[in-house]
Structures are given as C-alpha cells and as structure tokens.
Amino acid sequence: MHNVRLYELFGICIFASQKYAVLVQLHDLTFTPFISEAEINAGIEEVATKVNADFKDKNPVFLGVLNGAFLFAAELIKRFEGDCEVSFVKMSSYEGTNSSGTVNSLLGLNQSLKGRNVVVIEDIVDTGNTLESIDKILRAEEVKQYKIATLFYKPESYKKSLHIDYVGIAIPNDFIVGYGLDYNGLGRNLTQVYKLKETDNMTNIVLFGPPGAGKGTQADILKNEYDLKHISTGDVFRYNIKNETELGKMAKSYMDQGKLVPDTVTIDMLKTEVRNDLSGKGFIFDGFPRTVAQADALEEFLNEEGTQVSAMIALEVDDEVLVERLLERGKTSGRSDDANEEVVRKRIKIYYEETAILKQFYLKQNKYYGVDGVGSIEEITERLKEVIDGLA
Ligand code: AMP
C-alpha cells in the first residue's frame, strides 16, 4: 500500500511514495532518506544512558543550542532521571549548505552558570566552530565542568581539538536535514534525516524492439562501449530455467508458449538485478519493460534510487525479417522458443499487442528514439551510439 505523506502542508513536497524511499524537495534542493527514526532513537538512547551515568546526581544545567537541537534536547532531557535545569541558547554558523566559518555570539543565556555542571546539547557537530565559541563562553562563565552531547557528528569535517563527550550518530560529510536540522528554514519537522541527493550521472537505456530485432547483439557491444550493466530479463529467466530454480520452473511454462511471465515476478527479479549494480555507470535494459505496469514500476524504482530512464531506443525491423532471423537463430541457439514458427509469430504478436504501447509511454516523456534495425551489426551500432552520445 502506498504511504503518501502530505508534507505539502508544511511547505515540503514529497514526490514519491514509500515511507523510507521518498524524495523531499526543500526550496531548490532534493533530499533522499538517510537515517531512519529507529536509528535516531537508538542514538539518543545511547547518549541518554551515558549522560544519566555521569550526571544523575549532579543537578546539571542542560544547555540546548537552538534552533537545530530542540528535538534532540527534548528527547534527551525526557530520558534524564535526576534533577536538572534547562536553558536554551542561540547561535548560528550555517548559511545554506556550507558552513560559513563565522559564528555569532551566544544569545538567551539568562542564568549564571558559575560552578555548575553543564551539558551542552547540539544537533550536529560539523567543523566545530560553534563548539569553540561555546567553549570560550563557558570558560568565561567559570562553570564547574561541561560536557558536549551531539546527536550527529561529522568526523571528516571536524577540525578542532575539543573533545566531544557523547555522540549519537557519526555521519559522513553530507549535508543533512530533518529531525531539527534545516535547509534555509525548512525541514526541521521531518521525523527522519535526509541527505542532499547526488546528481544523477547514470545512463539507463531501455533497448526496445520486437523479438529478433537484435537487442541482445547490440546490448553486448554497447555495454562495453559505455561501461554499462546489461540486464536481459530473458537471459535471467533462461539462466534460472537451466539451473532449475523455482523461478525458472515457474517462468518456463509461460516462455514455452511465447507468453509473458507475470509482471510481479519479472519486476521483483529485475529489482534484484539492478540493486546489485547501482554504483555503476548505468544499465541497458533488454527485454524490460514489456508492459505498462513494468514501465511504471521501473520509473518508481529508479526514482527511489535517485536515477531514471535516460532513453528508450527502439530497433525497428519488419515482421517478416524478424521471423526469418529468429528461425535462423533457432537452428543454432538452442532456444526452443526460436525454433517453432508458430511460437515466433506469437511472440511478435504479443509484442505488438502488449509491448509496443510502451512507445507512447516514453514518447510522452520525450525519451523515445527510433533506430532503423536493418543493416550490418556495425551500422546499427553506429546509429545507436549517435543517439546515446546525443543524450548528454
Ligand atoms: P527474450 O529473450 O527477451 O525474447 O525473452 C524470452 C521470454 O522471456 C519472453 O517471451 C517471455 O516469456 C520472458 N520474458 C522476458 N522478459 C520479460 C518481461 N519483461 N516480462 C515478461 N516476460 C518476459
């Protein structure tokens, strides 16, 4: 079931669906899910246990650093088991996504901290500039001792020597929002943490065309040329049939008749294949999608992973040429669905009935490119490369 959360109410727009796989748009930037609520809570519990052990009987002053620490401060202080006082101070060292390096003075401290045990509560320790200013101020206040508790900590970015006593979660050097942290004012109310979405550098090609159009041959060449991962759903099914897996046994009955394997099975299988190679330069999808449901699923899935289909490139070949090619291939390929003219014609018919509709799907997105699939292998490769090179 879809779980669409209406963050539009807060000026935030969510444009995908599953709970931990949604993109969040704040002003001009897009963010992807990074740290779940459960992980945040585990970090808070860990800090709370240590703070209790060190300060339970010391009547500390908790000094929450606004604005970002308000949620963490509330959760940490709720878990504190002794007497305590609470103050909030304000400092800001952030403008936009880069630490500006300048830190303002402390605002809002309206009690003396002289001789007190102080726990500074920070949302995030990044360069450490804010901490350095706080350190100076607390020394001038002549506190008895102070410790620093931070929910998030960026070790790669921290450049100061002050010791950080309690860390909820150490994170890489990404710009994050949510759980108190904002981007130009927005995002503080998000209950999990998101990080800035990396720009999509992947090239994902849907190689399209009727059976026998030459998709497999061309995909083999193009994958080396562009360093892409070639996923042929037909090949994956055949591999499973050969190895007599449950998936293979299930798919075989459909394939032998030239019919499509059910969408749910095919989509799950494709997702598994894609997830294995998400860090690469991109994919050539060969034989997928074949139905609108598959195209929808691919779009949603790639969006969740921060990427998208770059283009559908269709090899256009006449039916009679296809039949001839497939029967010829059947003499040597060992593929039973190529050897029988009736099955071959059935596969081509299904292509026009169920699959050709996808041309409209990608045409609407301006991603459809038709390429003449008749000629020598080299000629056709050149035509395909011209399209791919033009995509950038
Ligand atoms: P192919 O090698 O692409 O011609 O695929 C051979 C057979 O595998 C097809 O006739 C279908 O039975 C099955 N198949 C491959 N890809 C898909 C898909 N995307 N959806 C459903 N069935 C598929």
Side-chain angles (χ1 to χ4, degrees):
M1 204 183 88
H2 285 335
N3 183 0
V4 180
R5 299 158 84 191
L6 295 176
Y7 281 116
E8 283 95 341
L9 289 173
F10 304 95
I12 298 160
C13 158
I14 289 203
F15 47 92
S17 50
Q18 296 164 6
K19 183 165 183 187
Y20 291 113
V22 288
L23 300 179
V24 172
Q25 181 77 30
L26 301 175
H27 299 293
D28 56 326
L29 298 183
T30 307
F31 295 84
T32 52
F34 186 36
I35 305 171
S36 71
E37 234 173 304
E39 288 169 309
I40 295 170
N41 284 332
I44 294 172
E45 286 296 343
E46 211 179 306
V47 172
T49 304
K50 291 180 185 157
V51 170
N52 270 313
D54 292 349
F55 286 95
K56 197 170 169 185
D57 304 315
K58 293 187 175 155
N59 188 21
V61 179
F62 284 109
L63 208 59
V65 183
L66 291 175
N67 290 334
F70 72 101
L71 280 181
F72 175 45
E75 292 303 317
L76 182 60
I77 294 165
K78 266 160 64 181
R79 289 166 172 79
F80 188 65
E81 290 161 2
D83 287 338
C84 65
E85 291 168 37
V86 179
S87 256
F88 283 95
V89 291
K90 190 154 180 147
M91 285 184 129
S92 170
S93 67
Y94 260 98
E95 253 172 45
T97 57
N98 285 319
S99 179
S100 63
T102 54
V103 173
N104 302 332
S105 57
L106 197 72
L107 301 172
L109 184 63
N110 52 13
Q111 70 179 107
S112 167
L113 297 177
K114 189 166 179 177
R116 299 297 303 268
N117 292 297
V118 174
V119 180
V120 176
I121 304 180
E122 271 277 25
D123 49 348
I124 184 161
V125 174
D126 191 322
T127 59
N129 288 334
T130 311
L131 278 193
E132 206 160 60
S133 304
I134 291 176
D135 177 67
K136 279 194 200 115
I137 292 162
L138 294 184
R139 281 171 191 276
E141 284 280 324
E142 297 178 17
V143 299
K144 182 173 174 193
Q145 67 156 332
Y146 83 88
K147 297 220 168 173
I148 299 161
T150 185
L151 180 54
F152 302 111
Y153 170 51
K154 291 184 178 175
E156 290 162 27
S157 164
Y158 189 63
K159 297 190 183 73
K160 310 292 180 193
S161 54
L162 283 171
H163 178 65
I164 300 162
D165 306 277
Y166 315 110
V167 173
I169 301 172
I171 58 170
N173 204 5
D174 292 298
F175 182 69
I176 60 170
V177 293
Y179 211 87
L181 289 96
D182 73 313
Y183 166 53
N184 284 351
L186 293 183
R188 296 194 194 277
N189 57 322
L190 296 168
T191 55
Q192 58 173 338
V193 165
Y194 294 77
K195 72 173 175 181
L196 195 57
K197 182 173 171 280
E198 281 155 28
T199 43
D200 178 13
N201 293 323
M202 291 179 102
T203 304
N204 301 314
I205 306 293
V206 171
L207 202 51
F208 196 59
K215 300 188 295 287
T217 308
Q218 293 299 334
D220 264 346
I221 301 169
L222 294 174
K223 75 173 182 194
N224 295 326
E225 193 82 30
Y226 294 94
D227 198 11
L228 302 174
K229 158 96 174 164
H230 172 207
I231 300 181
S232 155
T233 39
D235 282 352
V236 181
F237 282 133
R238 279 184 287 277
Y239 176 85
N240 278 277
I241 290 171
K242 196 168 149 218
N243 289 286
E244 296 180 348
T245 67
E246 283 309 309
L247 175 67
K249 283 180 208 157
M250 202 285 267
K252 190 171 181 341
S253 56
Y254 295 93
M255 290 173 73
D256 282 349
Q257 297 173 59
K259 289 185 185 163
L260 295 186
V261 177
D263 280 338
T264 46
V265 178
T266 312
I267 290 167
D268 282 351
M269 183 187 83
L270 180 102
K271 284 183 180 176
T272 309
E273 293 289 314
V274 171
R275 282 200 188 99
N276 286 338
D277 262 283
L278 267 171
S279 54
K281 292 201 174 141
F283 297 92
I284 299 176
F285 298 108
D286 162 8
F288 189 98
R290 264 174 152 103
T291 64
V292 172
Q294 290 180 14
D296 280 334
L298 182 65
E299 183 164 284
E300 186 176 330
F301 173 58
L302 291 181
N303 275 341
E304 285 167 16
E305 302 298 344
T307 185
Q308 58 179 330
V309 167
S310 317
M312 165 184 267
I313 312 182
L315 290 169
E316 292 161 348
V317 184
D318 256 9
D319 286 5
E320 288 314 310
V321 178
L322 295 173
V323 175
E324 210 176 292
R325 277 191 195 173
L326 287 169
L327 291 174
E328 194 56 38
R329 183 170 81 182
K331 290 181 190 160
T332 53
S333 70
R335 280 182 57 169
S336 54
D337 62 346
D338 281 349
N340 176 322
E341 182 165 344
E342 201 183 321
V343 175
V344 162
R345 288 198 183 273
K346 170 94 188 226
R347 284 163 59 205
I348 296 172
K349 186 165 171 269
I350 286 185
Y351 171 79
Y352 287 111
E353 284 171 0
E354 299 185 32
T355 306
I357 189 177
L358 290 180
K359 176 175 175 177
Q360 299 308 320
F361 186 98
Y362 289 102
L363 260 178
K364 271 194 219 140
Q365 301 185 7
N366 283 329
K367 288 182 178 173
Y368 180 87
Y369 300 84
V371 163
D372 181 1
V374 181
S376 71
I377 291 175
E378 294 76 15
E379 278 165 352
I380 297 167
T381 305
E382 278 315 305
R383 291 173 201 153
L384 291 168
K385 280 171 63 180
E386 208 173 301
V387 174
I388 297 173
D389 293 342
L391 293 174

